[in-house]
Amino acid sequence: MNDEKRTFTDEEALDFHRWPTPGKIGVQPTKPMATQRDLSLAYSPGVAVPVRAIAEDADTAYDYTSKGNMVAVISNGTAILGLGDLGALASKPVMEGKSVLFKRFADVDSIDIEVTTRDPDELVTVVKNIGVTFGGINLEDIKSPECFVVEQQCQELLDIPVFHDDQHGTAIISAAGLINACKITGRKLEDVKVVLNGPGAAGIATLELIKAMGVRHENVIAVDRKGTLWRGRAEDMNQWKSAHAVDTPHRTLADAIKGADCFIGLSAKGALTKDMVASMAKNPIIFAMANPDPEITPEEVREVRSDAIVATGRSDYPNQVNNVLGFPYIFRGALDVRARRVNHEMKIACAEALARLAREDVPDEVAAAYGKRLKFGPEYIIPTPFDPRLISYVPPFVAQAAMDTGVARRPIEDMDAYREELAQRLDPAAAFLQKIVGAVQANPKRVVFAEGEDPTVIRAAVAFEQQGLGEAILVGREELVLQNMLAAGIDPADHDIEIVNARLSEKNDAYVDALYARLQRRGYLRRDVQRLINQDRNSFAASMLVNGDAHGMVTGVTRNFDQALAEIGRVIEPHPGSRVIGMSIVLAKGRPIFVADTTVTELPNASELCEIAMVAARNVRELGFPARVAFLSYSTFGNPSGVRGDHVRDAIAMLDARGVDFEYEGEMPPELALDPAARANYPFMRLTEPANILIMPGIHSASISTRFIQALDAATVIGPLLLGLQRSVQIAPLSASVSQILTMATFAAYEQSHEARPERRRSARRATDRQT
């Protein structure tokens, strides 16, 4: 299994799958089931009506059941990721994961089915007999060459798309990369000379696809463990390998690679050497896709060829060949036209769509999400997996190809309307955290974890570094930190993480001087400040930020929010003219909603409401979203009247006077803020779209509402985030989990506008006076 950048222990992985409900998927009804009438319509006697309709016309199953948006992920567990043949039941966590990806990226409902047979004919029989239930079949983790037989026979027997992603997913994404690499290097597909190492399931599919796209058969040499696939070879051959044998004098990879334009690797670490790369043609194209370690690393390629374009299967290098760019959108387009199969034309259409998307100008919201401007070139030939444009861009190409080749049952008449429908279909909130993570990974930061002795905090800090988010600094006594690392199953020898003892730090005196200068006219003696720096880790960690030794800080796991905020507030000032607020992020179906103030000001007056709205709007824009503010209340534009409503109206007047450049309106109940259909009686409302920032009349309403939503499991709630300080600090919930702490640390690193440039980096590690 690919352990790339593993940021968790075995026990954490087991807990993730075990709690709060075993597994990763479930079933929820799409219709109301509250009353006896609802149940009568859903089952007996109402269900008889669609039953008769489907019996008369089978195609109406797409209209009256979930068939049209349901894919079965089917495996017999004979080739589970990198783990091999461990059996059908052992494959279930992987198949559930595949189902989650279908939903996450393309809003395709999916159910996993594990079949306990290693006989390909039996597996075909099972798929044939249950296929009528689904709109498509995704075969997964079936060993080669049986996978070719199973897919081919199932496709012949069923009238729905059957797609073995292990073969075609990699083929489609690498084909997209090849299209763009050829454009950059001035090559034509029909002229490019390709060497493919590893003609297994994915390799054979890649060969078939690039040849269907125009690469000439005689220009491709495939190589396996026994050498090149040369015409006449008998050893270790089968019908699929034989189809790609060519007349060639070459018998080894080293011979075949000389002068080649492109290397496609689906084999093993180290299969491609630097000497081989040096022997390739000018501007070589190298797709080293072995996992977890590529055939050759980009760094090794650069040592001998600065003119190469390199892609791998890893997310920590540019140009990741990731199957998630393909299968969700292949099925989305196929299902939406009720396709009978996925043919070569549809695969080519997907590859060409991905290639075209990478060549298009990257919009500001995508650049903001990833923290850098992505631009078509040698290090950006394939779209990033979390590009939100994929859902509306790729499926229309697939659907059009299905229509053009006659495999679509229901053609799409208005493709522009279809693109708009797709853009709204995927839950934009699902990608929210990944956007933040991507931006931080592109611009890593130093974040100090104030409660560095706590085992949960230690695990979060280690994960922070392993995910490439930046450098983590643990504040604590080194001996205890190292002891707790071992207790948490983390070997300190494998993680050169920085540990700072506040009392013994070489910066102790400087921090005391700086803090004393700030507090000396507020009743603090120097010895009081010395005690704060020595004994209060929040004071020490916050001083690191103020003095430029870290970018961000996370705390709160061992003490409540108010206490942590008071300790930090002694060291770090609010932004001039701003105020400190807490903002929670509610990730609900269809939209992220930002709620403020959830932590600081108990009952804000009009001026404070105005300031809360301005701070929230500024930060929401920094997160890459437009700002549309609604001031919530029990009253609706003065009815009924009351003091809290008066505060909102006064706040609106203040914003009017300031001439702010974001939309705002109030006072109103939540349904008026979030549902445009509820506004018929209020044509004067200034919000052009549903609000995404809700300003609450007090902490009581803000905190209760967000916690209530979270307790019902109706949405994911992040935060509250601490906003408005001159330095980036986040306070995690008391007794927070590793994931919660990591999320808060990521947001602390994300706040680039509030950061301080650190003066020291990894060279000054573990600033502890060991002699003492």
Side-chain angles (χ1 to χ4, degrees), residues 522-536:
R522 302 186 189 181
Y524 286 82
L525 300 175
R526 183 179 177 84
R527 65 172 178 265
D528 299 326
V529 174
Q530 182 74 68
R531 189 179 303 110
L532 288 175
I533 294 298
N534 288 349
Q535 299 178 5
D536 176 32

Side-chain angles (χ1 to χ4, degrees), residues 120-142:
D121 292 332
E122 286 189 5
L123 182 57
V124 169
T125 300
V126 171
V127 176
K128 178 192 72 173
N129 288 332
I130 66 173
V132 67
T133 303
F134 304 99
I137 303 291
N138 185 95
L139 300 173
E140 194 79 15
D141 289 359
I142 302 169

Side-chain angles (χ1 to χ4, degrees), residues 3-146:
D3 285 337
E4 170 199 345
K5 287 192 170 184
R6 179 165 172 173
T7 60
F8 50 83
T9 64
D10 289 353
E11 190 60 34
E12 286 179 286
L14 293 174
D15 285 346
F16 177 86
H17 285 79
R18 181 187 296 131
W19 308 109
T21 301
K24 297 188 288 286
I25 61 174
V27 176
Q28 290 186 340
T30 59
K31 303 296 191 293
M33 296 291 165
T35 67
Q36 181 61 46
R37 186 174 186 275
D38 294 337
L39 296 178
S40 297
L41 285 168
Y43 195 55
S44 182
V47 74
V49 181
V51 166
R52 285 192 291 267
I54 294 170
E56 293 174 4
D57 181 359
D59 279 351
T60 60
Y62 286 95
D63 300 315
Y64 302 130
T65 75
S66 62
K67 176 182 174 75
N69 195 50
M70 180 68 72
V71 168
V73 177
I74 300 178
S75 179
N76 65 355
T78 53
I80 304 173
L81 294 177
L83 299 174
D85 185 351
L86 297 181
L89 187 58
S91 75
K92 186 171 178 62
V94 182
M95 300 310 113
E96 285 189 353
K98 196 78 170 190
S99 295
V100 170
L101 294 180
F102 267 113
K103 190 65 177 179
R104 159 67 179 81
F105 286 99
D107 194 27
V108 172
D109 293 326
S110 175
I111 189 71
D112 64 293
I113 298 174
E114 292 74 38
V115 184
T116 56
T117 180
R118 288 173 172 78
D119 183 336
D121 292 332
E122 286 189 5
L123 182 57
V124 169
T125 300
V126 171
V127 176
K128 178 192 72 173
N129 288 332
I130 66 173
V132 67
T133 303
F134 304 99
I137 303 291
N138 185 95
L139 300 173
E140 194 79 15
D141 289 359
I142 302 169
K143 72 177 182 177
S144 175
E146 287 90 337

Side-chain angles (χ1 to χ4, degrees), residues 538 555 560-570 580 599-600 722 725 731:
N538 282 333
T555 187
N560 64 50
F561 184 95
D562 290 342
Q563 181 182 356
L565 181 59
E567 291 165 352
I568 293 163
R570 284 196 294 255
V580 177
T599 53
V600 180
L722 186 63
L725 288 173
I731 302 176

Side-chain angles (χ1 to χ4, degrees), residues 597-614:
D597 171 16
T598 50
T599 53
V600 180
T601 307
E602 184 175 2
L603 288 172
N605 58 32
S607 176
E608 290 167 336
L609 286 171
C610 177
E611 292 171 356
I612 290 169
M614 295 178 69

